[in-house]
Amino acid sequence: LLSENMKQKYFPKGHVVYREGDQGDHMYFINSGTVSVITEDGIRNKRHPGDFFGEGALLHPLKRRSATILCKTPVHVIEISREYFEKYMASSKGVVLSLREKDKIRKRNRAKALLKLQSGMKSKPYKQGEKLYREGDRGDSLYIVEKGKVELSTSGHRALLAGEGNFCGEHSLLTGRLRNTTATCISPEGCVASRMLGRDFRSLMDASPHMKESLTDMMNRRDFKKAVVKRLGHEFPYSDPRKAFDAVDVRQKGVLLAEDVAELMQNLDKDYTDKEVQVMMQTLDLSKDGKISFDEFQKVFIGDIRTTQSM
């Protein structure tokens, strides 16, 4: 279907393909050349041959561009319209899941980059085994790992790792609840982490609503993994995703419904609300059909092991 409805386009060096805030009805696959992805909040990235851009406006109801695209070199692209994109998506569920997950990853990376750009944070060294914070603590700060690896554990079991450039502590800031993990430096050479105070974090969220959405998405994925780890009684089984899935699918239906997610999350936090369950479903239900398949589960939690473990 796509091959019959693709347009070859050429853009000269310095050309702006579209600007942040524009309405978008096309996405683009890069055949040759390099483009810069520039956001109003100061984030810059590049896309190269074999990559694509513009999918976000086609996946979201507001149809708004989330960045400006500037050609760093002469660029040849394949342009695909919204009409044919939607037809193709309707006939290829795997493409839907992959593009939606890729879009979420890009937005999370943008949020991480924006956090690291903030000034006024104080760095502190931690020895191997030293805690940044403990499960059950009151928390009003976020930690960005500058050096080493920080293990996040729940009930004594590893849930995930935060490596250099990643962060931890967002749960308490976004929910107002107690810490639901213990953060421990596990690097023999020690760790360094910078601390962002809650007031600064909230000011940033107020100024960047898209960032709050991305960080909430990341928090939900992390909290889901924490809940799986607590139910299993050991660390998340990345090498056996079926075991993790089955730990949630206790009724063996082959898909996860809102009721399954509610039971899992309320085992982690008895105050977990119906609204939070709905938001969690929106995070994990990539196909938007009201249930989470094993394929979706794998894309969200197993797709790229290195990305997922630190997610």
Side-chain angles (χ1 to χ4, degrees):
L1 176 62
L2 271 178
S3 61
E4 301 172 3
N5 299 283
M6 298 185 293
K7 290 183 180 179
Q8 298 274 353
K9 288 213 164 182
Y10 166 81
F11 300 122
K13 179 180 178 179
H15 177 75
V16 175
V17 181
Y18 55 75
R19 297 186 182 278
E20 184 171 353
D22 288 352
Q23 191 160 33
D25 289 309
H26 297 88
M27 72 172 292
Y28 304 86
F29 288 86
I30 304 173
N31 279 336
S32 66
T34 300
V35 301
S36 285
V37 183
I38 306 166
T39 70
E40 292 177 354
D41 44 30
I43 306 303
R44 284 178 174 263
N45 287 299
K46 292 181 180 179
R47 303 276 183 267
H48 304 284
D51 210 339
F52 56 86
F53 59 90
E55 79 286 353
L58 303 188
L59 288 168
H60 298 289
L62 293 179
K63 304 178 182 180
R64 295 291 182 189
R65 299 297 192 189
S66 60
T68 294
I69 301 295
L70 173 68
C71 297
K72 296 293 289 181
T73 68
V75 176
H76 282 94
V77 298
I78 297 173
E79 180 187 76
I80 298 171
S81 71
R82 177 181 298 277
E83 177 186 0
Y84 290 108
F85 178 77
E86 291 174 348
K87 287 182 180 178
Y88 184 52
M89 286 178 63
S91 64
S92 181
K93 186 176 180 181
V95 171
V96 180
L97 302 186
S98 294
L99 286 176
R100 282 190 172 140
E101 181 59 11
K102 181 79 169 182
D103 184 57
K104 285 175 179 282
I105 289 171
R106 285 177 170 175
K107 286 182 168 60
R108 289 199 303 272
N109 287 340
R110 175 177 168 178
K112 288 181 188 178
L114 189 55
L115 280 174
K116 288 187 284 185
L117 286 175
Q118 304 310 302
S119 60
M121 293 186 286
K122 292 186 177 180
S123 295
K124 178 182 175 181
Y126 296 87
K127 296 178 181 179
Q128 184 180 21
E130 191 173 357
K131 314 295 184 188
L132 282 70
Y133 55 82
R134 296 178 183 274
E135 191 169 359
D137 286 352
R138 293 190 180 279
D140 195 42
S141 56
L142 179 87
Y143 294 84
I144 299 174
V145 181
E146 297 177 6
K147 175 186 173 184
K149 291 183 178 179
V150 173
E151 177 188 77
L152 303 180
S153 61
T154 181
S155 302
H157 304 293
R158 177 185 293 182
L160 53 121
L161 293 174
E164 293 176 14
N166 218 312
F167 59 86
C168 56
E170 79 289 342
H171 170 86
S172 292
L173 288 176
L174 289 168
T175 66
R177 295 189 177 121
L178 302 178
R179 302 286 194 192
N180 65 2
T181 54
T182 295
T184 308
C185 172
I186 62 168
S187 295
E189 68 277 12
C191 304
V192 177
S194 54
R195 182 185 178 205
M196 175 182 279
L197 297 178
R199 63 173 182 269
D200 298 324
F201 179 85
R202 286 183 285 275
S203 294
L204 183 59
M205 294 303 99
D206 290 342
S208 306
H210 70 272
M211 185 176 179
K212 184 174 183 179
E213 179 183 344
S214 295
L215 291 180
T216 299
D217 179 273
M218 179 174 248
M219 177 194 72
N220 283 334
R221 292 165 185 245
R222 286 178 162 187
D223 283 355
F224 190 92
K225 286 204 297 185
K226 295 169 191 175
V228 170
V229 165
K230 184 173 182 179
R231 179 169 283 185
L232 288 172
H234 58 73
E235 66 181 86
F236 195 89
Y238 291 100
S239 61
D240 187 4
R242 176 59 70 175
K243 183 177 182 180
F245 185 85
D246 289 346
V248 188
D249 183 23
V250 293
R251 297 176 182 82
Q252 300 182 330
K253 298 186 296 295
V255 294
L256 306 182
L257 303 178
E259 63 193 58
D260 302 308
V261 171
E263 288 179 12
L264 179 78
M265 299 312 300
Q266 286 164 2
N267 184 53
L268 178 72
D269 182 349
K270 61 182 177 58
D271 295 322
Y272 208 81
T273 66
D274 290 342
K275 183 177 181 180
E276 287 173 313
V277 171
Q278 291 174 5
V279 175
M280 179 69 79
M281 288 295 295
Q282 291 169 8
T283 295
L284 306 182
D285 177 18
L286 299 177
S287 60
K288 308 301 179 187
D289 59 2
K291 54 184 181 290
I292 304 162
S293 69
F294 182 61
D295 284 345
E296 288 171 295
F297 186 88
Q298 287 194 103
K299 284 199 181 294
V300 169
F301 294 112
I302 310 298
D304 181 330
I305 295 295
R306 287 173 300 177
T307 298
T308 304
Q309 285 181 318
S310 62
M311 187 172 60

